[in-house]
Amino acid sequence: MNSTEQYVIDLFEKQNLSFIGTVDEHGFPHIRAMLRPRKREGIKTIYFSTNTPTNKVRHLQSNEKACVYFCNPAAFQGALLIGTMEVLEAQEYKEMLWQDGDELYYPGGVTDPDYIVLRFTAISGRNFSNFHSYDFDIN
């Protein structure tokens, strides 16, 4: 693992919130706060759970371009990942992310039709730290 990937992972692991960006049907960006993703594979693949009837799901169904941003405001540090985000409806993905307590949000359990998984796949990124920023590719 290189130092760039380690920086993003460290930032990711220490934050409870992340921000995702989607593009609407008119080409305008939408940013929203999300709880920290529950699963990741390095920094290339990140999984989120969310409610099915949301604008973000609708946006992603017509345009998969997306971004994910993690930050530590107190240290003025951040990491932006750019890529695509898929809407996954398969039960195997829902079961993979399900945790005790999710019934509070999804009373129907892991099969609740309001429960859905988003898979973000990063292709590049930009880190911000110590008043400097740099771009990087993700393989």
Side-chain angles (χ1 to χ4, degrees):
M1 178 178 337
N2 65 40
S3 61
T4 297
E5 185 172 356
Q6 189 60 55
Y7 173 83
V8 175
I9 289 171
D10 289 346
L11 192 59
F12 171 94
E13 295 293 334
K14 293 176 183 171
Q15 306 310 311
N16 290 323
L17 283 178
S18 59
F19 299 87
I20 68 167
T22 59
V23 180
D24 73 14
E25 61 275 8
H26 303 290
F28 290 102
H30 290 249
I31 305 295
R32 79 260 304 140
M34 298 276 293
L35 292 175
R36 186 174 134 212
R38 295 198 172 156
K39 179 177 169 91
R40 65 173 175 77
E41 297 165 6
I43 62 172
K44 184 164 183 69
T45 307
I46 301 171
Y47 294 88
F48 295 86
S49 61
T50 193
N51 293 77
T52 304
T54 62
N55 283 340
K56 68 183 155 295
V57 170
R58 187 172 43 83
H59 296 166
L60 292 167
Q61 287 171 328
S62 62
N63 186 342
E64 290 187 336
K65 291 181 181 176
C67 65
V68 175
Y69 185 74
F70 302 99
C71 67
N72 178 349
F76 204 68
Q77 296 176 325
L80 171 70
L81 301 176
I82 299 165
T84 59
M85 193 173 295
E86 304 167 77
V87 177
L88 303 174
E89 298 182 54
Q91 193 61 33
E92 67 185 277
Y93 295 108
K94 293 178 180 186
E95 290 172 5
M96 177 181 73
L97 293 190
W98 187 261
Q99 293 180 352
D100 288 338
D102 283 348
E103 301 84 13
L104 178 67
Y105 306 103
Y106 310 105
V110 73
T111 59
D112 192 313
D114 261 3
Y115 175 57
I116 201 156
V117 173
L118 305 176
R119 178 174 53 200
F120 177 77
T121 304
I123 57 172
S124 65
R126 184 170 181 86
N127 282 343
F128 308 92
S129 181
N130 299 321
F131 302 105
H132 292 92
S133 59
Y134 61 93
D135 296 320
F136 59 93
D137 291 324
I138 300 172
N139 300 319

